[in-house]
Amino acid sequence: GLIVDNFAGGGGTSTGIDAALGQAVDIAINHDDEALRMHEANHPGTLHVRNNVWRVDPRDAVLQAAARRDVATNPATRLPHVQLAWFSPDCKHFSKAKGGKPREKSIRDLAWVVVLWAEKVAPDVILLENVEEFRTWGPLCADGKPIKERAGETFDKWCRALRKAGYKLQFRELRACDYGAPTIRKRFFMIARRDGQPIVWPAPTHGRPDSPDVLSG
């Protein structure tokens, strides 16, 4: 099946997917020319799509990528089988680091593109990564500030749309340092599956340098 890296940056996520699955990412999408040029340098065999994510038809993208290699057809969609779609939408308009500054609805709404891909090409697995405040996604007032009483309203609506598209969802807040990456920030992760397989989360591989387990080897 095909693997898609939506909101692809310089290629770090694609490198991780390749290392985990032993398969290169087939499609990388980003509107930023410099980001995709770096991605091309790291992943020359990938189909690179320079465009706003909303101007990319998932069906056209997977057909174009499938033409580059032999990919089975998904009987439900009559389109190439999509094994995995990864999404890391812009997170700064959810983050508490933004402070009291106004948010932009257009940026907060980028995650709806996940539902578009779910409905159009039905990936087996969808992964999403964002800041932990992503779960508070809700409407904004006229001043561009989140409405506290309605925090999480849009997030719940988004989850319902994915479930309606046939997905089972699980969420966790994880720290990459527990898996060997040098950052202690918590991040929100979602795993969504529609292939009938169980959702499995990785076991931590690292601990605090001063923890008993690490000190004992």
Side-chain angles (χ1 to χ4, degrees):
L2 296 171
I3 298 177
V4 184
D5 186 353
N6 238 301
F7 306 98
T13 294
S14 294
T15 297
I17 291 172
D18 193 350
L21 302 180
Q23 180 181 332
V25 166
D26 295 283
I27 307 170
I29 301 169
N30 198 311
H31 70 284
D32 187 275
D33 188 59
E34 287 188 6
L36 271 197
R37 283 214 306 269
M38 184 180 290
H39 196 287
E40 279 179 323
N42 290 312
H43 303 277
T46 298
L47 170 66
H48 291 87
V49 181
R50 286 177 178 79
N51 214 334
N52 179 310
V53 289
W54 290 115
R55 292 181 181 160
V56 177
D57 184 327
R59 293 167 298 194
D60 289 345
V62 298
L63 285 168
Q64 198 177 344
R68 298 156 66 102
R69 68 183 189 88
D70 188 25
V71 178
T73 300
N74 183 332
T77 62
R78 297 183 182 177
L79 288 166
H81 171 223
V82 181
Q83 177 183 347
L84 172 66
W86 173 281
F87 297 85
S88 294
D90 191 319
C91 59
K92 64 179 177 287
H93 287 261
F94 290 105
S95 174
K96 57 178 175 276
K98 181 85 173 161
K101 297 174 185 174
R103 270 66 167 173
E104 286 186 35
K105 186 176 185 297
S106 61
I107 292 177
R108 285 164 69 88
D109 282 351
L110 282 171
W112 281 110
V113 81
V114 178
V115 176
L116 177 71
W117 278 78
E119 293 174 345
K120 296 291 187 184
V121 297
D124 289 344
V125 180
I126 293 175
L127 303 177
L128 178 135
E129 173 265 343
N130 212 287
V131 291
E132 53 187 317
E133 297 87 7
F134 182 69
R135 295 184 80 157
T136 68
W137 182 16
L140 302 174
C141 68
D143 295 330
K145 307 284 181 66
I147 303 170
K148 286 184 180 179
E149 300 77 22
R150 300 179 67 183
E153 197 175 286
T154 310
F155 176 77
D156 291 341
K157 184 178 177 183
W158 179 79
C159 290
R160 287 197 299 273
L162 283 174
R163 291 188 178 105
K164 188 177 178 183
Y167 288 85
K168 292 184 177 179
L169 317 177
Q170 286 187 19
F171 319 107
R172 286 194 184 178
E173 290 174 5
L174 304 174
R175 296 180 195 267
C177 57
D178 294 336
Y179 302 90
T183 173
I184 61 170
R185 286 188 305 170
K186 268 189 191 174
R187 302 289 285 188
F188 169 93
F189 289 89
M190 178 199 75
I191 300 177
R193 298 195 78 140
R194 57 164 292 140
D195 59 355
Q197 297 297 314
I199 291 173
V200 179
W201 293 87
T205 57
H206 291 64
R208 291 177 63 90
D210 57 356
S211 69
D213 286 340
V214 173
L215 291 173
S216 68

PDB file of all heavy atoms in Angstrom, residues 4-31:
ATOM      1  N   VAL A   4       1.550   8.119   2.935  1.00  0.00           N
ATOM      2  CA  VAL A   4       1.425   9.552   2.657  1.00  0.00           C
ATOM      3  C   VAL A   4       1.902  10.353   3.859  1.00  0.00           C
ATOM      4  O   VAL A   4       1.513  10.072   4.996  1.00  0.00           O
ATOM      5  CB  VAL A   4      -0.043   9.929   2.359  1.00  0.00           C
ATOM      6  CG1 VAL A   4      -0.150  11.404   1.973  1.00  0.00           C
ATOM      7  CG2 VAL A   4      -0.629   9.042   1.269  1.00  0.00           C
ATOM      8  N   ASP A   5       2.737  11.363   3.613  1.00  0.00           N
ATOM      9  CA  ASP A   5       3.177  12.299   4.648  1.00  0.00           C
ATOM     10  C   ASP A   5       2.573  13.656   4.316  1.00  0.00           C
ATOM     11  O   ASP A   5       3.056  14.386   3.465  1.00  0.00           O
ATOM     12  CB  ASP A   5       4.711  12.370   4.684  1.00  0.00           C
ATOM     13  CG  ASP A   5       5.243  13.216   5.842  1.00  0.00           C
ATOM     14  OD1 ASP A   5       4.425  13.851   6.538  1.00  0.00           O
ATOM     15  OD2 ASP A   5       6.465  13.243   6.039  1.00  0.00           O
ATOM     16  N   ASN A   6       1.461  13.971   4.988  1.00  0.00           N
ATOM     17  CA  ASN A   6       0.792  15.246   4.773  1.00  0.00           C
ATOM     18  C   ASN A   6       1.422  16.286   5.687  1.00  0.00           C
ATOM     19  O   ASN A   6       1.803  15.963   6.810  1.00  0.00           O
ATOM     20  CB  ASN A   6      -0.701  15.108   5.095  1.00  0.00           C
ATOM     21  CG  ASN A   6      -1.581  15.455   3.917  1.00  0.00           C
ATOM     22  OD1 ASN A   6      -1.520  16.562   3.401  1.00  0.00           O
ATOM     23  ND2 ASN A   6      -2.409  14.501   3.497  1.00  0.00           N
ATOM     24  N   PHE A   7       1.527  17.533   5.262  1.00  0.00           N
ATOM     25  CA  PHE A   7       2.235  18.581   5.990  1.00  0.00           C
ATOM     26  C   PHE A   7       3.704  18.182   6.153  1.00  0.00           C
ATOM     27  O   PHE A   7       4.306  18.392   7.205  1.00  0.00           O
ATOM     28  CB  PHE A   7       1.608  18.838   7.370  1.00  0.00           C
ATOM     29  CG  PHE A   7       0.135  19.145   7.329  1.00  0.00           C
ATOM     30  CD1 PHE A   7      -0.809  18.164   7.567  1.00  0.00           C
ATOM     31  CD2 PHE A   7      -0.308  20.435   7.044  1.00  0.00           C
ATOM     32  CE1 PHE A   7      -2.160  18.443   7.530  1.00  0.00           C
ATOM     33  CE2 PHE A   7      -1.665  20.721   7.008  1.00  0.00           C
ATOM     34  CZ  PHE A   7      -2.601  19.720   7.253  1.00  0.00           C
ATOM     35  N   ALA A   8       4.270  17.596   5.112  1.00  0.00           N
ATOM     36  CA  ALA A   8       5.656  17.124   5.178  1.00  0.00           C
ATOM     37  C   ALA A   8       6.601  18.300   5.369  1.00  0.00           C
ATOM     38  O   ALA A   8       6.469  19.330   4.709  1.00  0.00           O
ATOM     39  CB  ALA A   8       6.005  16.374   3.888  1.00  0.00           C
ATOM     40  N   GLY A   9       7.551  18.145   6.275  1.00  0.00           N
ATOM     41  CA  GLY A   9       8.579  19.168   6.469  1.00  0.00           C
ATOM     42  C   GLY A   9       9.841  18.775   5.720  1.00  0.00           C
ATOM     43  O   GLY A   9       9.794  18.381   4.554  1.00  0.00           O
ATOM     44  N   GLY A  10      10.961  18.822   6.420  1.00  0.00           N
ATOM     45  CA  GLY A  10      12.223  18.496   5.778  1.00  0.00           C
ATOM     46  C   GLY A  10      12.440  17.011   5.550  1.00  0.00           C
ATOM     47  O   GLY A  10      13.358  16.609   4.847  1.00  0.00           O
ATOM     48  N   GLY A  11      11.613  16.172   6.170  1.00  0.00           N
ATOM     49  CA  GLY A  11      11.720  14.739   5.925  1.00  0.00           C
ATOM     50  C   GLY A  11      11.954  13.894   7.154  1.00  0.00           C
ATOM     51  O   GLY A  11      12.150  12.681   7.041  1.00  0.00           O
ATOM     52  N   GLY A  12      11.933  14.507   8.351  1.00  0.00           N
ATOM     53  CA  GLY A  12      12.183  13.738   9.571  1.00  0.00           C
ATOM     54  C   GLY A  12      11.148  12.655   9.820  1.00  0.00           C
ATOM     55  O   GLY A  12      11.487  11.504  10.128  1.00  0.00           O
ATOM     56  N   THR A  13       9.877  13.015   9.673  1.00  0.00           N
ATOM     57  CA  THR A  13       8.806  12.030   9.869  1.00  0.00           C
ATOM     58  C   THR A  13       8.912  10.920   8.840  1.00  0.00           C
ATOM     59  O   THR A  13       8.782   9.734   9.166  1.00  0.00           O
ATOM     60  CB  THR A  13       7.426  12.708   9.772  1.00  0.00           C
ATOM     61  OG1 THR A  13       7.281  13.621  10.860  1.00  0.00           O
ATOM     62  CG2 THR A  13       6.314  11.678   9.841  1.00  0.00           C
ATOM     63  N   SER A  14       9.158  11.296   7.595  1.00  0.00           N
ATOM     64  CA  SER A  14       9.276  10.287   6.535  1.00  0.00           C
ATOM     65  C   SER A  14      10.435   9.332   6.812  1.00  0.00           C
ATOM     66  O   SER A  14      10.331   8.128   6.560  1.00  0.00           O
ATOM     67  CB  SER A  14       9.476  10.967   5.173  1.00  0.00           C
ATOM     68  OG  SER A  14       8.331  11.705   4.803  1.00  0.00           O
ATOM     69  N   THR A  15      11.534   9.862   7.349  1.00  0.00           N
ATOM     70  CA  THR A  15      12.673   9.017   7.712  1.00  0.00           C
ATOM     71  C   THR A  15      12.269   8.036   8.811  1.00  0.00           C
ATOM     72  O   THR A  15      12.636   6.854   8.780  1.00  0.00           O
ATOM     73  CB  THR A  15      13.863   9.882   8.175  1.00  0.00           C
ATOM     74  OG1 THR A  15      14.275  10.709   7.081  1.00  0.00           O
ATOM     75  CG2 THR A  15      15.033   9.031   8.631  1.00  0.00           C
ATOM     76  N   GLY A  16      11.512   8.524   9.799  1.00  0.00           N
ATOM     77  CA  GLY A  16      11.038   7.657  10.873  1.00  0.00           C
ATOM     78  C   GLY A  16      10.115   6.567  10.383  1.00  0.00           C
ATOM     79  O   GLY A  16      10.217   5.404  10.808  1.00  0.00           O
ATOM     80  N   ILE A  17       9.209   6.913   9.479  1.00  0.00           N
ATOM     81  CA  ILE A  17       8.287   5.922   8.913  1.00  0.00           C
ATOM     82  C   ILE A  17       9.062   4.866   8.137  1.00  0.00           C
ATOM     83  O   ILE A  17       8.799   3.665   8.250  1.00  0.00           O
ATOM     84  CB  ILE A  17       7.241   6.620   8.009  1.00  0.00           C
ATOM     85  CG1 ILE A  17       6.287   7.472   8.864  1.00  0.00           C
ATOM     86  CG2 ILE A  17       6.449   5.592   7.194  1.00  0.00           C
ATOM     87  CD1 ILE A  17       5.353   8.355   8.055  1.00  0.00           C
ATOM     88  N   ASP A  18      10.039   5.317   7.358  1.00  0.00           N
ATOM     89  CA  ASP A  18      10.876   4.397   6.587  1.00  0.00           C
ATOM     90  C   ASP A  18      11.621   3.439   7.519  1.00  0.00           C
ATOM     91  O   ASP A  18      11.675   2.222   7.290  1.00  0.00           O
ATOM     92  CB  ASP A  18      11.865   5.201   5.745  1.00  0.00           C
ATOM     93  CG  ASP A  18      12.565   4.368   4.676  1.00  0.00           C
ATOM     94  OD1 ASP A  18      12.439   3.125   4.699  1.00  0.00           O
ATOM     95  OD2 ASP A  18      13.249   4.955   3.830  1.00  0.00           O
ATOM     96  N   ALA A  19      12.160   3.987   8.614  1.00  0.00           N
ATOM     97  CA  ALA A  19      12.899   3.147   9.568  1.00  0.00           C
ATOM     98  C   ALA A  19      11.980   2.148  10.256  1.00  0.00           C
ATOM     99  O   ALA A  19      12.357   1.005  10.515  1.00  0.00           O
ATOM    100  CB  ALA A  19      13.589   4.030  10.608  1.00  0.00           C
ATOM    101  N   ALA A  20      10.748   2.574  10.551  1.00  0.00           N
ATOM    102  CA  ALA A  20       9.812   1.711  11.283  1.00  0.00           C
ATOM    103  C   ALA A  20       9.220   0.626  10.394  1.00  0.00           C
ATOM    104  O   ALA A  20       9.055  -0.526  10.825  1.00  0.00           O
ATOM    105  CB  ALA A  20       8.691   2.562  11.875  1.00  0.00           C
ATOM    106  N   LEU A  21       8.905   0.972   9.151  1.00  0.00           N
ATOM    107  CA  LEU A  21       8.179   0.043   8.275  1.00  0.00           C
ATOM    108  C   LEU A  21       9.050  -0.574   7.182  1.00  0.00           C
ATOM    109  O   LEU A  21       8.612  -1.510   6.514  1.00  0.00           O
ATOM    110  CB  LEU A  21       6.987   0.754   7.622  1.00  0.00           C
ATOM    111  CG  LEU A  21       5.955   1.365   8.577  1.00  0.00           C
ATOM    112  CD1 LEU A  21       4.832   2.026   7.782  1.00  0.00           C
ATOM    113  CD2 LEU A  21       5.382   0.306   9.510  1.00  0.00           C
ATOM    114  N   GLY A  22      10.248  -0.018   6.995  1.00  0.00           N
ATOM    115  CA  GLY A  22      11.090  -0.513   5.916  1.00  0.00           C
ATOM    116  C   GLY A  22      10.548  -0.172   4.553  1.00  0.00           C
ATOM    117  O   GLY A  22      10.829  -0.851   3.561  1.00  0.00           O
ATOM    118  N   GLN A  23       9.768   0.904   4.493  1.00  0.00           N
ATOM    119  CA  GLN A  23       9.169   1.322   3.226  1.00  0.00           C
ATOM    120  C   GLN A  23       9.209   2.837   3.128  1.00  0.00           C
ATOM    121  O   GLN A  23       8.821   3.537   4.071  1.00  0.00           O
ATOM    122  CB  GLN A  23       7.720   0.836   3.129  1.00  0.00           C
ATOM    123  CG  GLN A  23       7.027   1.228   1.824  1.00  0.00           C
ATOM    124  CD  GLN A  23       5.592   0.751   1.759  1.00  0.00           C
ATOM    125  OE1 GLN A  23       5.232  -0.254   2.365  1.00  0.00           O
ATOM    126  NE2 GLN A  23       4.758   1.460   1.022  1.00  0.00           N
ATOM    127  N   ALA A  24       9.650   3.350   1.998  1.00  0.00           N
ATOM    128  CA  ALA A  24       9.737   4.792   1.800  1.00  0.00           C
ATOM    129  C   ALA A  24       8.348   5.395   1.648  1.00  0.00           C
ATOM    130  O   ALA A  24       7.415   4.743   1.181  1.00  0.00           O
ATOM    131  CB  ALA A  24      10.581   5.101   0.566  1.00  0.00           C
ATOM    132  N   VAL A  25       8.221   6.655   2.048  1.00  0.00           N
ATOM    133  CA  VAL A  25       6.968   7.386   1.868  1.00  0.00           C
ATOM    134  C   VAL A  25       6.758   7.638   0.380  1.00  0.00           C
ATOM    135  O   VAL A  25       7.677   8.009  -0.346  1.00  0.00           O
ATOM    136  CB  VAL A  25       7.027   8.722   2.656  1.00  0.00           C
ATOM    137  CG1 VAL A  25       5.919   9.659   2.242  1.00  0.00           C
ATOM    138  CG2 VAL A  25       6.954   8.438   4.152  1.00  0.00           C
ATOM    139  N   ASP A  26       5.519   7.418  -0.076  1.00  0.00           N
ATOM    140  CA  ASP A  26       5.218   7.568  -1.506  1.00  0.00           C
ATOM    141  C   ASP A  26       4.840   8.989  -1.893  1.00  0.00           C
ATOM    142  O   ASP A  26       5.129   9.437  -3.001  1.00  0.00           O
ATOM    143  CB  ASP A  26       4.065   6.632  -1.891  1.00  0.00           C
ATOM    144  CG  ASP A  26       4.435   5.175  -1.747  1.00  0.00           C
ATOM    145  OD1 ASP A  26       5.144   4.662  -2.625  1.00  0.00           O
ATOM    146  OD2 ASP A  26       4.040   4.554  -0.742  1.00  0.00           O
ATOM    147  N   ILE A  27       4.162   9.703  -0.991  1.00  0.00           N
ATOM    148  CA  ILE A  27       3.664  11.051  -1.290  1.00  0.00           C
ATOM    149  C   ILE A  27       4.021  11.986  -0.145  1.00  0.00           C
ATOM    150  O   ILE A  27       3.784  11.665   1.023  1.00  0.00           O
ATOM    151  CB  ILE A  27       2.130  11.061  -1.471  1.00  0.00           C
ATOM    152  CG1 ILE A  27       1.672  10.010  -2.499  1.00  0.00           C
ATOM    153  CG2 ILE A  27       1.629  12.446  -1.873  1.00  0.00           C
ATOM    154  CD1 ILE A  27       0.161   9.802  -2.535  1.00  0.00           C
ATOM    155  N   ALA A  28       4.591  13.151  -0.468  1.00  0.00           N
ATOM    156  CA  ALA A  28       4.852  14.202   0.524  1.00  0.00           C
ATOM    157  C   ALA A  28       4.176  15.482   0.044  1.00  0.00           C
ATOM    158  O   ALA A  28       4.362  15.895  -1.103  1.00  0.00           O
ATOM    159  CB  ALA A  28       6.351  14.430   0.701  1.00  0.00           C
ATOM    160  N   ILE A  29       3.376  16.099   0.930  1.00  0.00           N
ATOM    161  CA  ILE A  29       2.597  17.278   0.550  1.00  0.00           C
ATOM    162  C   ILE A  29       2.956  18.449   1.457  1.00  0.00           C
ATOM    163  O   ILE A  29       2.965  18.316   2.681  1.00  0.00           O
ATOM    164  CB  ILE A  29       1.074  16.989   0.659  1.00  0.00           C
ATOM    165  CG1 ILE A  29       0.685  15.814  -0.254  1.00  0.00           C
ATOM    166  CG2 ILE A  29       0.254  18.235   0.307  1.00  0.00           C
ATOM    167  CD1 ILE A  29      -0.713  15.284  -0.016  1.00  0.00           C
ATOM    168  N   ASN A  30       3.261  19.592   0.849  1.00  0.00           N
ATOM    169  CA  ASN A  30       3.506  20.816   1.609  1.00  0.00           C
ATOM    170  C   ASN A  30       3.429  21.998   0.645  1.00  0.00           C
ATOM    171  O   ASN A  30       3.816  21.878  -0.514  1.00  0.00           O
ATOM    172  CB  ASN A  30       4.881  20.783   2.293  1.00  0.00           C
ATOM    173  CG  ASN A  30       4.998  21.800   3.423  1.00  0.00           C
ATOM    174  OD1 ASN A  30       4.678  22.967   3.271  1.00  0.00           O
ATOM    175  ND2 ASN A  30       5.471  21.338   4.569  1.00  0.00           N
ATOM    176  N   HIS A  31       2.931  23.130   1.140  1.00  0.00           N
ATOM    177  CA  HIS A  31       2.868  24.329   0.298  1.00  0.00           C
ATOM    178  C   HIS A  31       4.196  25.064   0.255  1.00  0.00           C
ATOM    179  O   HIS A  31       4.421  25.910  -0.614  1.00  0.00           O
ATOM    180  CB  HIS A  31       1.795  25.289   0.826  1.00  0.00           C
ATOM    181  CG  HIS A  31       2.177  25.925   2.128  1.00  0.00           C
ATOM    182  ND1 HIS A  31       2.130  25.243   3.324  1.00  0.00           N
ATOM    183  CD2 HIS A  31       2.661  27.163   2.416  1.00  0.00           C
ATOM    184  CE1 HIS A  31       2.541  26.030   4.294  1.00  0.00           C
ATOM    185  NE2 HIS A  31       2.880  27.200   3.778  1.00  0.00           N
TER     186      HIS A  31
END
